[in-house]
Amino acid sequence: MIPAGFDYHAPRSLADAVKLLGSLGPDARLLAGGHSLLPMMKLRFATPSALIDLGKIADLRGIAQAGNEIRIGAMTTEHALHGSKLVAEKLPLLHEGVSQIADPQVRYRGTIGGDISHGDPANDHPSLMLALDASFVLAGPKGERVVKADGFFLGVYSTQRADDEILTQIRIPIPAAGSGWSYSKLKRKTGDFATAAAAVLLQMKGGTVGAVSIALTNVGPTPIKARQAEQALVGKALNDASLNQAARLAMAACSPTNDPRGTPEYKTAMAGEMTRRALQAALSRAKA
Ligand code: FAD
């Protein structure tokens, strides 16, 4: 289908983009890679009166280390993230997650900021951001604020971002040296969204779990932090009994819907299995 008509703006600075968004009001939408927004416009699920293309604002791109965190511009593409040596070295969980998003064509255009802002629980970045304890920088008419990924996602297509705010940067603390990681994603075919996926960051301490972060993709209206599973693992060795318990507790946190990827029961079981596999893979990479 052909989208409804809209005005098009391509500001060259963040200040101009914020001003435009404020003056055009909530019927205007920001355009990043367009891989989520344009299909919705073609189906007329979204009929914005104007698009504000962020593509000409160079400041919104790039990956850099600042102290103990990695800062990623919201308009950085999945392709750039995957090719970044800094991300591969300092944030291997993100590097592994990005490699499983869609396919190379989508990754050339799709941006980390668009993936997060869209608020789609099927997207992979939201749970990766929860597992990595990321924060998001939002710029609006009243200035800038920084919000934690944990709590940012409110429901399907709903986040804490106000209509007049732009996500400008993602800040991710560099995990402790020796941390293990894994993003285990079950999908029906290459390029598909997750049937269920688990992001795990793990620190071992003398043969037992020192700290662990577990977040789940596409098994509820938002990405899910599997807190009870995390709490149950701390201080324990990772063996069949503790892995089974963690998988059970992760499953208890899920509330997926029925769709062509499977029934709620199947997706919940797969979330448990992805949790188990991600924990095992993270253990094999962790240094005690
Ligand atoms: P856009 O589509 O341009 O924007 C998405 C939404 O976010 C819009 O509402 C827009 O207004 C808003 N927005 C964009 N940037 C900002 C910003 N900086 N501040 C505030 N709001 C903003 N994603 C996955 O995670 N995993 C997958 O497996 C996956 N598979 C895919 C397969 C296909 C075939 C396709 C087409 C897409 C797939 N995607 C997948 C989604 C893809 O990664 C998208 O690119 C991503 O969800 C949105 O990023 P975008 O840059 O294209 O954003």
Side-chain angles (χ1 to χ4, degrees):
M1 253 169 83
I2 296 171
F6 55 87
D7 292 333
Y8 174 82
H9 304 267
R12 290 186 177 266
S13 73
L14 178 62
D16 285 350
V18 169
K19 220 179 284 166
L20 258 175
L21 189 58
S23 64
L24 294 171
D27 285 343
R29 294 288 282 271
L30 298 164
L31 176 67
H35 271 306
S36 294
L37 182 56
L38 295 187
M40 290 185 95
M41 289 171 64
K42 286 183 176 177
L43 291 167
R44 303 216 176 183
F45 291 149
T47 52
S49 57
L51 289 185
I52 302 171
D53 188 346
L54 300 176
K56 289 195 163 53
I57 307 175
D59 290 352
L60 291 180
R61 287 204 179 83
I63 305 162
Q65 183 168 351
N68 202 33
E69 64 184 17
I70 302 295
R71 296 183 169 183
I72 303 170
M75 284 295 285
T76 305
T77 62
E78 310 294 1
H79 175 74
L81 279 176
H82 192 243
S84 160
K85 218 170 139 211
L86 195 58
V87 170
E89 274 173 18
K90 305 286 185 186
L91 302 173
L93 172 58
L94 180 59
H95 186 256
E96 182 164 274
V98 165
S99 72
Q100 298 176 62
I101 290 179
D103 53 47
Q105 279 178 307
V106 171
R107 294 200 291 266
Y108 273 119
R109 297 275 321 162
T111 65
I112 183 170
D115 196 282
I116 291 166
S117 303
H118 196 45
D120 185 344
N123 280 356
D124 295 292
H125 277 298
S127 66
L128 289 164
M129 295 301 115
L130 282 188
L132 286 161
D133 194 26
S135 298
F136 304 142
V137 182
L138 299 167
K142 294 187 202 126
E144 209 174 78
R145 65 185 179 122
V146 182
V147 298
K148 297 284 269 181
D150 198 355
F152 180 75
F153 302 98
L154 303 177
V156 179
Y157 305 134
S158 170
T159 70
Q160 270 190 31
R161 184 184 72 85
D163 284 341
D164 59 2
E165 287 180 314
I166 299 175
L167 171 62
T168 59
Q169 193 181 67
I170 294 91
R171 297 181 177 173
I172 306 177
I174 297 171
S179 297
W181 74 92
S182 176
Y183 191 59
S184 293
K185 176 174 175 178
L186 176 68
K187 50 187 174 180
R188 296 171 302 175
K189 57 183 174 116
T190 299
D192 196 15
F193 291 89
T195 301
V200 165
L201 197 60
L202 174 71
Q203 284 169 45
M204 296 300 288
K205 205 170 151 194
T208 60
V209 174
V212 63
S213 185
I214 306 171
L216 308 171
T217 299
N218 213 11
V219 280
T222 63
I224 294 166
K225 194 82 163 56
R227 290 182 213 288
Q228 289 193 333
E230 293 170 348
Q231 283 158 15
L233 286 172
V234 173
K236 289 199 184 127
L238 276 186
N239 52 31
D240 281 351
S242 61
L243 286 169
N244 285 341
Q245 188 190 23
R248 260 198 318 274
L249 290 169
M251 287 165 63
C254 298
S255 55
T257 52
N258 196 42
D259 69 17
R261 289 187 184 84
T263 60
E265 293 75 18
Y266 173 68
K267 292 178 180 180
T268 300
M270 291 306 102
E273 184 54 29
M274 292 304 109
T275 301
R276 187 196 318 272
R277 290 185 192 187
L279 284 165
Q280 283 169 322
L283 178 64
S284 72
R285 291 159 162 173
K287 294 182 184 75

